[in-house]
Amino acid sequence: QVQLVESGGGLVQAGGSLRLSCAASGRIASINRMGWYRQAPGNERELVATITSGGSTNYADSVKGRFTISRDNAKNMVSLQMNSLKPEDTAVYYCNAHIRGSDQFQYYQYWGQGTQVTVSS
């Protein structure tokens, strides 16, 4: 069974930093795109940043220049460094990955359980 486990959320003051990490585990043959999404109360889930297995990145306009996504392919991990945090960044952050299991022929999308990030003003 493939799982994504996140860590690193918490409470921080505006202007501060947090680092989120996500580790994929299970019988994994290959991981394609990995990324982070977030959902604030009353809002739909939205893309924050993605990264391909080759390292190409994509960011939401609202986080460009403040957030950096990275991954460690050897460890099946993806991280999100969040700097200059704003109250509007407050949300539950979800790890996302497209994974092909060792007994599968195609990729499936997986989600982590979510981690709360709260930015106080």
Side-chain angles (χ1 to χ4, degrees), residues 85-120:
L85 282 160
K86 304 175 181 180
E88 51 263 45
D89 294 318
T90 296
V92 177
Y93 283 70
Y94 296 91
C95 177
N96 172 271
H98 291 73
I99 298 173
R100 181 170 65 84
S102 58
D103 57 351
Q104 297 171 330
F105 295 99
Q106 64 185 66
Y107 288 85
Y108 293 90
Q109 186 172 211
Y110 293 86
W111 293 92
Q113 79 283 1
T115 185
Q116 177 70 45
V117 171
T118 302
V119 184
S120 63

PDB file of all heavy atoms in Angstrom, residues 85-120:
ATOM      1  N   LEU A  85       6.090  34.183   5.116  1.00  0.00           N
ATOM      2  CA  LEU A  85       4.714  33.716   5.185  1.00  0.00           C
ATOM      3  C   LEU A  85       3.749  34.844   5.525  1.00  0.00           C
ATOM      4  O   LEU A  85       4.086  35.787   6.265  1.00  0.00           O
ATOM      5  CB  LEU A  85       4.593  32.600   6.221  1.00  0.00           C
ATOM      6  CG  LEU A  85       5.100  31.236   5.726  1.00  0.00           C
ATOM      7  CD1 LEU A  85       5.407  30.308   6.874  1.00  0.00           C
ATOM      8  CD2 LEU A  85       4.072  30.612   4.789  1.00  0.00           C
ATOM      9  N   LYS A  86       2.551  34.742   4.962  1.00  0.00           N
ATOM     10  CA  LYS A  86       1.505  35.735   5.144  1.00  0.00           C
ATOM     11  C   LYS A  86       0.277  35.064   5.768  1.00  0.00           C
ATOM     12  O   LYS A  86       0.083  33.849   5.590  1.00  0.00           O
ATOM     13  CB  LYS A  86       1.109  36.337   3.796  1.00  0.00           C
ATOM     14  CG  LYS A  86       2.253  36.942   3.013  1.00  0.00           C
ATOM     15  CD  LYS A  86       1.785  37.401   1.637  1.00  0.00           C
ATOM     16  CE  LYS A  86       2.912  37.997   0.819  1.00  0.00           C
ATOM     17  NZ  LYS A  86       2.459  38.436  -0.526  1.00  0.00           N
ATOM     18  N   PRO A  87      -0.560  35.817   6.441  1.00  0.00           N
ATOM     19  CA  PRO A  87      -1.781  35.217   7.008  1.00  0.00           C
ATOM     20  C   PRO A  87      -2.624  34.494   5.958  1.00  0.00           C
ATOM     21  O   PRO A  87      -3.255  33.479   6.268  1.00  0.00           O
ATOM     22  CB  PRO A  87      -2.521  36.425   7.584  1.00  0.00           C
ATOM     23  CG  PRO A  87      -1.431  37.373   7.959  1.00  0.00           C
ATOM     24  CD  PRO A  87      -0.392  37.218   6.877  1.00  0.00           C
ATOM     25  N   GLU A  88      -2.611  34.978   4.737  1.00  0.00           N
ATOM     26  CA  GLU A  88      -3.400  34.341   3.685  1.00  0.00           C
ATOM     27  C   GLU A  88      -2.820  32.999   3.234  1.00  0.00           C
ATOM     28  O   GLU A  88      -3.441  32.283   2.439  1.00  0.00           O
ATOM     29  CB  GLU A  88      -3.571  35.268   2.476  1.00  0.00           C
ATOM     30  CG  GLU A  88      -2.298  35.874   1.952  1.00  0.00           C
ATOM     31  CD  GLU A  88      -2.060  37.274   2.489  1.00  0.00           C
ATOM     32  OE1 GLU A  88      -2.238  37.491   3.713  1.00  0.00           O
ATOM     33  OE2 GLU A  88      -1.659  38.143   1.680  1.00  0.00           O
ATOM     34  N   ASP A  89      -1.650  32.639   3.734  1.00  0.00           N
ATOM     35  CA  ASP A  89      -1.090  31.314   3.462  1.00  0.00           C
ATOM     36  C   ASP A  89      -1.668  30.260   4.421  1.00  0.00           C
ATOM     37  O   ASP A  89      -1.390  29.065   4.257  1.00  0.00           O
ATOM     38  CB  ASP A  89       0.436  31.319   3.613  1.00  0.00           C
ATOM     39  CG  ASP A  89       1.122  32.172   2.562  1.00  0.00           C
ATOM     40  OD1 ASP A  89       0.712  32.109   1.389  1.00  0.00           O
ATOM     41  OD2 ASP A  89       2.065  32.895   2.924  1.00  0.00           O
ATOM     42  N   THR A  90      -2.428  30.699   5.386  1.00  0.00           N
ATOM     43  CA  THR A  90      -3.029  29.773   6.339  1.00  0.00           C
ATOM     44  C   THR A  90      -3.958  28.795   5.631  1.00  0.00           C
ATOM     45  O   THR A  90      -4.862  29.197   4.895  1.00  0.00           O
ATOM     46  CB  THR A  90      -3.815  30.536   7.416  1.00  0.00           C
ATOM     47  OG1 THR A  90      -2.908  31.334   8.174  1.00  0.00           O
ATOM     48  CG2 THR A  90      -4.551  29.583   8.338  1.00  0.00           C
ATOM     49  N   ALA A  91      -3.700  27.510   5.836  1.00  0.00           N
ATOM     50  CA  ALA A  91      -4.483  26.473   5.158  1.00  0.00           C
ATOM     51  C   ALA A  91      -3.996  25.105   5.621  1.00  0.00           C
ATOM     52  O   ALA A  91      -2.967  25.005   6.300  1.00  0.00           O
ATOM     53  CB  ALA A  91      -4.331  26.579   3.649  1.00  0.00           C
ATOM     54  N   VAL A  92      -4.723  24.074   5.220  1.00  0.00           N
ATOM     55  CA  VAL A  92      -4.215  22.711   5.334  1.00  0.00           C
ATOM     56  C   VAL A  92      -3.457  22.417   4.044  1.00  0.00           C
ATOM     57  O   VAL A  92      -3.993  22.600   2.949  1.00  0.00           O
ATOM     58  CB  VAL A  92      -5.345  21.700   5.540  1.00  0.00           C
ATOM     59  CG1 VAL A  92      -4.781  20.279   5.585  1.00  0.00           C
ATOM     60  CG2 VAL A  92      -6.110  22.003   6.823  1.00  0.00           C
ATOM     61  N   TYR A  93      -2.223  21.983   4.191  1.00  0.00           N
ATOM     62  CA  TYR A  93      -1.371  21.697   3.041  1.00  0.00           C
ATOM     63  C   TYR A  93      -1.321  20.193   2.812  1.00  0.00           C
ATOM     64  O   TYR A  93      -1.070  19.418   3.736  1.00  0.00           O
ATOM     65  CB  TYR A  93       0.031  22.255   3.283  1.00  0.00           C
ATOM     66  CG  TYR A  93       0.097  23.746   3.090  1.00  0.00           C
ATOM     67  CD1 TYR A  93      -0.521  24.605   3.998  1.00  0.00           C
ATOM     68  CD2 TYR A  93       0.768  24.317   2.003  1.00  0.00           C
ATOM     69  CE1 TYR A  93      -0.490  25.987   3.822  1.00  0.00           C
ATOM     70  CE2 TYR A  93       0.813  25.695   1.818  1.00  0.00           C
ATOM     71  CZ  TYR A  93       0.177  26.516   2.729  1.00  0.00           C
ATOM     72  OH  TYR A  93       0.209  27.878   2.550  1.00  0.00           O
ATOM     73  N   TYR A  94      -1.525  19.804   1.561  1.00  0.00           N
ATOM     74  CA  TYR A  94      -1.570  18.398   1.186  1.00  0.00           C
ATOM     75  C   TYR A  94      -0.444  18.060   0.214  1.00  0.00           C
ATOM     76  O   TYR A  94      -0.240  18.767  -0.778  1.00  0.00           O
ATOM     77  CB  TYR A  94      -2.892  18.058   0.520  1.00  0.00           C
ATOM     78  CG  TYR A  94      -4.101  18.209   1.411  1.00  0.00           C
ATOM     79  CD1 TYR A  94      -4.797  19.407   1.473  1.00  0.00           C
ATOM     80  CD2 TYR A  94      -4.546  17.141   2.183  1.00  0.00           C
ATOM     81  CE1 TYR A  94      -5.910  19.546   2.289  1.00  0.00           C
ATOM     82  CE2 TYR A  94      -5.657  17.266   3.000  1.00  0.00           C
ATOM     83  CZ  TYR A  94      -6.325  18.480   3.049  1.00  0.00           C
ATOM     84  OH  TYR A  94      -7.432  18.592   3.861  1.00  0.00           O
ATOM     85  N   CYS A  95       0.222  16.981   0.490  1.00  0.00           N
ATOM     86  CA  CYS A  95       1.211  16.425  -0.425  1.00  0.00           C
ATOM     87  C   CYS A  95       0.492  15.600  -1.488  1.00  0.00           C
ATOM     88  O   CYS A  95      -0.511  14.930  -1.191  1.00  0.00           O
ATOM     89  CB  CYS A  95       2.178  15.549   0.365  1.00  0.00           C
ATOM     90  SG  CYS A  95       3.420  14.705  -0.624  1.00  0.00           S
ATOM     91  N   ASN A  96       1.005  15.651  -2.692  1.00  0.00           N
ATOM     92  CA  ASN A  96       0.401  14.936  -3.819  1.00  0.00           C
ATOM     93  C   ASN A  96       1.504  14.294  -4.647  1.00  0.00           C
ATOM     94  O   ASN A  96       2.571  14.880  -4.830  1.00  0.00           O
ATOM     95  CB  ASN A  96      -0.400  15.923  -4.674  1.00  0.00           C
ATOM     96  CG  ASN A  96      -0.908  15.324  -5.960  1.00  0.00           C
ATOM     97  OD1 ASN A  96      -0.219  15.344  -6.994  1.00  0.00           O
ATOM     98  ND2 ASN A  96      -2.106  14.783  -5.921  1.00  0.00           N
ATOM     99  N   ALA A  97       1.253  13.090  -5.130  1.00  0.00           N
ATOM    100  CA  ALA A  97       2.256  12.429  -5.962  1.00  0.00           C
ATOM    101  C   ALA A  97       1.597  11.468  -6.933  1.00  0.00           C
ATOM    102  O   ALA A  97       0.590  10.837  -6.613  1.00  0.00           O
ATOM    103  CB  ALA A  97       3.267  11.683  -5.082  1.00  0.00           C
ATOM    104  N   HIS A  98       2.196  11.371  -8.118  1.00  0.00           N
ATOM    105  CA  HIS A  98       1.754  10.406  -9.126  1.00  0.00           C
ATOM    106  C   HIS A  98       2.731   9.237  -9.086  1.00  0.00           C
ATOM    107  O   HIS A  98       3.903   9.398  -9.452  1.00  0.00           O
ATOM    108  CB  HIS A  98       1.721  11.059 -10.498  1.00  0.00           C
ATOM    109  CG  HIS A  98       0.658  12.089 -10.631  1.00  0.00           C
ATOM    110  ND1 HIS A  98       0.729  13.321 -10.034  1.00  0.00           N
ATOM    111  CD2 HIS A  98      -0.530  12.066 -11.270  1.00  0.00           C
ATOM    112  CE1 HIS A  98      -0.364  14.019 -10.313  1.00  0.00           C
ATOM    113  NE2 HIS A  98      -1.145  13.272 -11.060  1.00  0.00           N
ATOM    114  N   ILE A  99       2.234   8.087  -8.629  1.00  0.00           N
ATOM    115  CA  ILE A  99       3.104   6.960  -8.299  1.00  0.00           C
ATOM    116  C   ILE A  99       2.684   5.712  -9.055  1.00  0.00           C
ATOM    117  O   ILE A  99       1.494   5.411  -9.169  1.00  0.00           O
ATOM    118  CB  ILE A  99       3.061   6.689  -6.776  1.00  0.00           C
ATOM    119  CG1 ILE A  99       3.580   7.915  -6.007  1.00  0.00           C
ATOM    120  CG2 ILE A  99       3.859   5.449  -6.415  1.00  0.00           C
ATOM    121  CD1 ILE A  99       3.427   7.819  -4.508  1.00  0.00           C
ATOM    122  N   ARG A 100       3.669   4.986  -9.537  1.00  0.00           N
ATOM    123  CA  ARG A 100       3.419   3.659 -10.106  1.00  0.00           C
ATOM    124  C   ARG A 100       3.945   2.618  -9.124  1.00  0.00           C
ATOM    125  O   ARG A 100       5.134   2.608  -8.794  1.00  0.00           O
ATOM    126  CB  ARG A 100       4.097   3.508 -11.459  1.00  0.00           C
ATOM    127  CG  ARG A 100       3.845   2.155 -12.119  1.00  0.00           C
ATOM    128  CD  ARG A 100       4.329   2.162 -13.572  1.00  0.00           C
ATOM    129  NE  ARG A 100       5.773   2.332 -13.664  1.00  0.00           N
ATOM    130  CZ  ARG A 100       6.662   1.357 -13.565  1.00  0.00           C
ATOM    131  NH1 ARG A 100       6.253   0.115 -13.348  1.00  0.00           N
ATOM    132  NH2 ARG A 100       7.948   1.621 -13.688  1.00  0.00           N
ATOM    133  N   GLY A 101       3.058   1.794  -8.630  1.00  0.00           N
ATOM    134  CA  GLY A 101       3.458   0.750  -7.714  1.00  0.00           C
ATOM    135  C   GLY A 101       4.238  -0.331  -8.421  1.00  0.00           C
ATOM    136  O   GLY A 101       4.238  -0.428  -9.652  1.00  0.00           O
ATOM    137  N   SER A 102       4.916  -1.143  -7.611  1.00  0.00           N
ATOM    138  CA  SER A 102       5.786  -2.162  -8.190  1.00  0.00           C
ATOM    139  C   SER A 102       5.001  -3.219  -8.959  1.00  0.00           C
ATOM    140  O   SER A 102       5.567  -3.928  -9.784  1.00  0.00           O
ATOM    141  CB  SER A 102       6.622  -2.821  -7.097  1.00  0.00           C
ATOM    142  OG  SER A 102       5.776  -3.382  -6.113  1.00  0.00           O
ATOM    143  N   ASP A 103       3.687  -3.343  -8.681  1.00  0.00           N
ATOM    144  CA  ASP A 103       2.867  -4.324  -9.381  1.00  0.00           C
ATOM    145  C   ASP A 103       1.848  -3.661 -10.300  1.00  0.00           C
ATOM    146  O   ASP A 103       0.825  -4.261 -10.633  1.00  0.00           O
ATOM    147  CB  ASP A 103       2.151  -5.229  -8.376  1.00  0.00           C
ATOM    148  CG  ASP A 103       1.300  -4.430  -7.402  1.00  0.00           C
ATOM    149  OD1 ASP A 103       1.412  -3.191  -7.405  1.00  0.00           O
ATOM    150  OD2 ASP A 103       0.524  -5.031  -6.651  1.00  0.00           O
ATOM    151  N   GLN A 104       2.135  -2.419 -10.682  1.00  0.00           N
ATOM    152  CA  GLN A 104       1.199  -1.672 -11.516  1.00  0.00           C
ATOM    153  C   GLN A 104       1.854  -1.257 -12.835  1.00  0.00           C
ATOM    154  O   GLN A 104       3.076  -1.148 -12.929  1.00  0.00           O
ATOM    155  CB  GLN A 104       0.697  -0.428 -10.763  1.00  0.00           C
ATOM    156  CG  GLN A 104      -0.091  -0.765  -9.505  1.00  0.00           C
ATOM    157  CD  GLN A 104      -0.379   0.457  -8.662  1.00  0.00           C
ATOM    158  OE1 GLN A 104       0.372   1.417  -8.653  1.00  0.00           O
ATOM    159  NE2 GLN A 104      -1.482   0.408  -7.918  1.00  0.00           N
ATOM    160  N   PHE A 105       1.025  -0.999 -13.820  1.00  0.00           N
ATOM    161  CA  PHE A 105       1.523  -0.590 -15.129  1.00  0.00           C
ATOM    162  C   PHE A 105       1.237   0.876 -15.422  1.00  0.00           C
ATOM    163  O   PHE A 105       1.686   1.391 -16.450  1.00  0.00           O
ATOM    164  CB  PHE A 105       0.897  -1.458 -16.219  1.00  0.00           C
ATOM    165  CG  PHE A 105       1.300  -2.893 -16.129  1.00  0.00           C
ATOM    166  CD1 PHE A 105       0.464  -3.826 -15.537  1.00  0.00           C
ATOM    167  CD2 PHE A 105       2.520  -3.314 -16.620  1.00  0.00           C
ATOM    168  CE1 PHE A 105       0.835  -5.158 -15.445  1.00  0.00           C
ATOM    169  CE2 PHE A 105       2.902  -4.644 -16.537  1.00  0.00           C
ATOM    170  CZ  PHE A 105       2.059  -5.561 -15.948  1.00  0.00           C
ATOM    171  N   GLN A 106       0.475   1.534 -14.563  1.00  0.00           N
ATOM    172  CA  GLN A 106       0.204   2.936 -14.788  1.00  0.00           C
ATOM    173  C   GLN A 106       0.358   3.710 -13.481  1.00  0.00           C
ATOM    174  O   GLN A 106       0.464   3.116 -12.413  1.00  0.00           O
ATOM    175  CB  GLN A 106      -1.203   3.131 -15.349  1.00  0.00           C
ATOM    176  CG  GLN A 106      -2.323   2.711 -14.394  1.00  0.00           C
ATOM    177  CD  GLN A 106      -3.687   2.828 -15.078  1.00  0.00           C
ATOM    178  OE1 GLN A 106      -3.987   2.118 -16.027  1.00  0.00           O
ATOM    179  NE2 GLN A 106      -4.483   3.754 -14.594  1.00  0.00           N
ATOM    180  N   TYR A 107       0.369   5.031 -13.615  1.00  0.00           N
ATOM    181  CA  TYR A 107       0.528   5.891 -12.451  1.00  0.00           C
ATOM    182  C   TYR A 107      -0.848   6.217 -11.863  1.00  0.00           C
ATOM    183  O   TYR A 107      -1.821   6.410 -12.573  1.00  0.00           O
ATOM    184  CB  TYR A 107       1.245   7.191 -12.845  1.00  0.00           C
ATOM    185  CG  TYR A 107       2.696   7.003 -13.141  1.00  0.00           C
ATOM    186  CD1 TYR A 107       3.120   6.608 -14.408  1.00  0.00           C
ATOM    187  CD2 TYR A 107       3.666   7.218 -12.162  1.00  0.00           C
ATOM    188  CE1 TYR A 107       4.459   6.428 -14.687  1.00  0.00           C
ATOM    189  CE2 TYR A 107       5.010   7.041 -12.435  1.00  0.00           C
ATOM    190  CZ  TYR A 107       5.401   6.655 -13.698  1.00  0.00           C
ATOM    191  OH  TYR A 107       6.727   6.472 -13.964  1.00  0.00           O
ATOM    192  N   TYR A 108      -0.876   6.307 -10.538  1.00  0.00           N
ATOM    193  CA  TYR A 108      -2.068   6.718  -9.810  1.00  0.00           C
ATOM    194  C   TYR A 108      -1.720   7.919  -8.938  1.00  0.00           C
ATOM    195  O   TYR A 108      -0.590   8.077  -8.492  1.00  0.00           O
ATOM    196  CB  TYR A 108      -2.595   5.575  -8.937  1.00  0.00           C
ATOM    197  CG  TYR A 108      -3.127   4.418  -9.734  1.00  0.00           C
ATOM    198  CD1 TYR A 108      -2.300   3.361 -10.107  1.00  0.00           C
ATOM    199  CD2 TYR A 108      -4.460   4.382 -10.144  1.00  0.00           C
ATOM    200  CE1 TYR A 108      -2.787   2.299 -10.851  1.00  0.00           C
ATOM    201  CE2 TYR A 108      -4.947   3.327 -10.889  1.00  0.00           C
ATOM    202  CZ  TYR A 108      -4.105   2.292 -11.242  1.00  0.00           C
ATOM    203  OH  TYR A 108      -4.578   1.246 -11.979  1.00  0.00           O
ATOM    204  N   GLN A 109      -2.732   8.742  -8.679  1.00  0.00           N
ATOM    205  CA  GLN A 109      -2.537   9.930  -7.864  1.00  0.00           C
ATOM    206  C   GLN A 109      -2.813   9.613  -6.404  1.00  0.00           C
ATOM    207  O   GLN A 109      -3.841   9.020  -6.079  1.00  0.00           O
ATOM    208  CB  GLN A 109      -3.457  11.054  -8.342  1.00  0.00           C
ATOM    209  CG  GLN A 109      -3.238  12.380  -7.641  1.00  0.00           C
ATOM    210  CD  GLN A 109      -4.016  13.506  -8.274  1.00  0.00           C
ATOM    211  OE1 GLN A 109      -3.612  14.658  -8.264  1.00  0.00           O
ATOM    212  NE2 GLN A 109      -5.182  13.196  -8.836  1.00  0.00           N
ATOM    213  N   TYR A 110      -1.915  10.016  -5.532  1.00  0.00           N
ATOM    214  CA  TYR A 110      -2.047   9.801  -4.096  1.00  0.00           C
ATOM    215  C   TYR A 110      -1.986  11.134  -3.364  1.00  0.00           C
ATOM    216  O   TYR A 110      -1.327  12.074  -3.830  1.00  0.00           O
ATOM    217  CB  TYR A 110      -0.935   8.880  -3.572  1.00  0.00           C
ATOM    218  CG  TYR A 110      -1.018   7.470  -4.086  1.00  0.00           C
ATOM    219  CD1 TYR A 110      -0.441   7.112  -5.298  1.00  0.00           C
ATOM    220  CD2 TYR A 110      -1.685   6.486  -3.357  1.00  0.00           C
ATOM    221  CE1 TYR A 110      -0.525   5.817  -5.778  1.00  0.00           C
ATOM    222  CE2 TYR A 110      -1.765   5.185  -3.821  1.00  0.00           C
ATOM    223  CZ  TYR A 110      -1.188   4.858  -5.033  1.00  0.00           C
ATOM    224  OH  TYR A 110      -1.277   3.567  -5.495  1.00  0.00           O
ATOM    225  N   TRP A 111      -2.652  11.166  -2.208  1.00  0.00           N
ATOM    226  CA  TRP A 111      -2.678  12.361  -1.366  1.00  0.00           C
ATOM    227  C   TRP A 111      -2.243  12.007   0.049  1.00  0.00           C
ATOM    228  O   TRP A 111      -2.540  10.920   0.551  1.00  0.00           O
ATOM    229  CB  TRP A 111      -4.085  12.945  -1.298  1.00  0.00           C
ATOM    230  CG  TRP A 111      -4.579  13.506  -2.589  1.00  0.00           C
ATOM    231  CD1 TRP A 111      -5.298  12.853  -3.546  1.00  0.00           C
ATOM    232  CD2 TRP A 111      -4.391  14.844  -3.071  1.00  0.00           C
ATOM    233  NE1 TRP A 111      -5.567  13.704  -4.586  1.00  0.00           N
ATOM    234  CE2 TRP A 111      -5.026  14.934  -4.331  1.00  0.00           C
ATOM    235  CE3 TRP A 111      -3.744  15.978  -2.560  1.00  0.00           C
ATOM    236  CZ2 TRP A 111      -5.029  16.108  -5.086  1.00  0.00           C
ATOM    237  CZ3 TRP A 111      -3.753  17.133  -3.317  1.00  0.00           C
ATOM    238  CH2 TRP A 111      -4.402  17.195  -4.558  1.00  0.00           C
ATOM    239  N   GLY A 112      -1.564  12.957   0.670  1.00  0.00           N
ATOM    240  CA  GLY A 112      -1.267  12.824   2.082  1.00  0.00           C
ATOM    241  C   GLY A 112      -2.475  13.217   2.921  1.00  0.00           C
ATOM    242  O   GLY A 112      -3.507  13.636   2.392  1.00  0.00           O
ATOM    243  N   GLN A 113      -2.331  13.097   4.232  1.00  0.00           N
ATOM    244  CA  GLN A 113      -3.441  13.356   5.129  1.00  0.00           C
ATOM    245  C   GLN A 113      -3.635  14.842   5.399  1.00  0.00           C
ATOM    246  O   GLN A 113      -4.680  15.245   5.922  1.00  0.00           O
ATOM    247  CB  GLN A 113      -3.242  12.605   6.458  1.00  0.00           C
ATOM    248  CG  GLN A 113      -2.278  13.264   7.443  1.00  0.00           C
ATOM    249  CD  GLN A 113      -0.815  13.077   7.084  1.00  0.00           C
ATOM    250  OE1 GLN A 113      -0.460  12.468   6.085  1.00  0.00           O
ATOM    251  NE2 GLN A 113       0.045  13.606   7.948  1.00  0.00           N
ATOM    252  N   GLY A 114      -2.663  15.647   5.052  1.00  0.00           N
ATOM    253  CA  GLY A 114      -2.745  17.086   5.266  1.00  0.00           C
ATOM    254  C   GLY A 114      -2.065  17.520   6.545  1.00  0.00           C
ATOM    255  O   GLY A 114      -2.064  16.804   7.547  1.00  0.00           O
ATOM    256  N   THR A 115      -1.479  18.699   6.506  1.00  0.00           N
ATOM    257  CA  THR A 115      -0.840  19.276   7.678  1.00  0.00           C
ATOM    258  C   THR A 115      -1.239  20.757   7.763  1.00  0.00           C
ATOM    259  O   THR A 115      -1.227  21.468   6.761  1.00  0.00           O
ATOM    260  CB  THR A 115       0.687  19.101   7.638  1.00  0.00           C
ATOM    261  OG1 THR A 115       1.268  19.583   8.858  1.00  0.00           O
ATOM    262  CG2 THR A 115       1.327  19.834   6.466  1.00  0.00           C
ATOM    263  N   GLN A 116      -1.592  21.192   8.967  1.00  0.00           N
ATOM    264  CA  GLN A 116      -2.086  22.549   9.146  1.00  0.00           C
ATOM    265  C   GLN A 116      -0.937  23.543   9.214  1.00  0.00           C
ATOM    266  O   GLN A 116       0.024  23.349   9.960  1.00  0.00           O
ATOM    267  CB  GLN A 116      -2.918  22.642  10.434  1.00  0.00           C
ATOM    268  CG  GLN A 116      -3.432  24.031  10.750  1.00  0.00           C
ATOM    269  CD  GLN A 116      -4.522  24.492   9.788  1.00  0.00           C
ATOM    270  OE1 GLN A 116      -5.438  23.736   9.474  1.00  0.00           O
ATOM    271  NE2 GLN A 116      -4.428  25.737   9.315  1.00  0.00           N
ATOM    272  N   VAL A 117      -1.072  24.616   8.455  1.00  0.00           N
ATOM    273  CA  VAL A 117      -0.153  25.752   8.528  1.00  0.00           C
ATOM    274  C   VAL A 117      -0.987  26.971   8.906  1.00  0.00           C
ATOM    275  O   VAL A 117      -1.957  27.306   8.216  1.00  0.00           O
ATOM    276  CB  VAL A 117       0.566  25.991   7.192  1.00  0.00           C
ATOM    277  CG1 VAL A 117       1.339  27.307   7.229  1.00  0.00           C
ATOM    278  CG2 VAL A 117       1.499  24.830   6.884  1.00  0.00           C
ATOM    279  N   THR A 118      -0.627  27.608  10.005  1.00  0.00           N
ATOM    280  CA  THR A 118      -1.338  28.790  10.470  1.00  0.00           C
ATOM    281  C   THR A 118      -0.349  29.940  10.610  1.00  0.00           C
ATOM    282  O   THR A 118       0.661  29.802  11.303  1.00  0.00           O
ATOM    283  CB  THR A 118      -2.034  28.539  11.814  1.00  0.00           C
ATOM    284  OG1 THR A 118      -2.933  27.434  11.686  1.00  0.00           O
ATOM    285  CG2 THR A 118      -2.807  29.766  12.263  1.00  0.00           C
ATOM    286  N   VAL A 119      -0.657  31.049   9.946  1.00  0.00           N
ATOM    287  CA  VAL A 119       0.206  32.221   9.978  1.00  0.00           C
ATOM    288  C   VAL A 119      -0.558  33.344  10.685  1.00  0.00           C
ATOM    289  O   VAL A 119      -1.603  33.786  10.205  1.00  0.00           O
ATOM    290  CB  VAL A 119       0.624  32.665   8.572  1.00  0.00           C
ATOM    291  CG1 VAL A 119       1.599  33.828   8.650  1.00  0.00           C
ATOM    292  CG2 VAL A 119       1.237  31.496   7.806  1.00  0.00           C
ATOM    293  N   SER A 120      -0.030  33.780  11.802  1.00  0.00           N
ATOM    294  CA  SER A 120      -0.690  34.834  12.581  1.00  0.00           C
ATOM    295  C   SER A 120      -0.168  36.203  12.157  1.00  0.00           C
ATOM    296  O   SER A 120       0.991  36.355  11.782  1.00  0.00           O
ATOM    297  CB  SER A 120      -0.451  34.619  14.068  1.00  0.00           C
ATOM    298  OG  SER A 120       0.928  34.707  14.362  1.00  0.00           O
TER     299      SER A 120
END
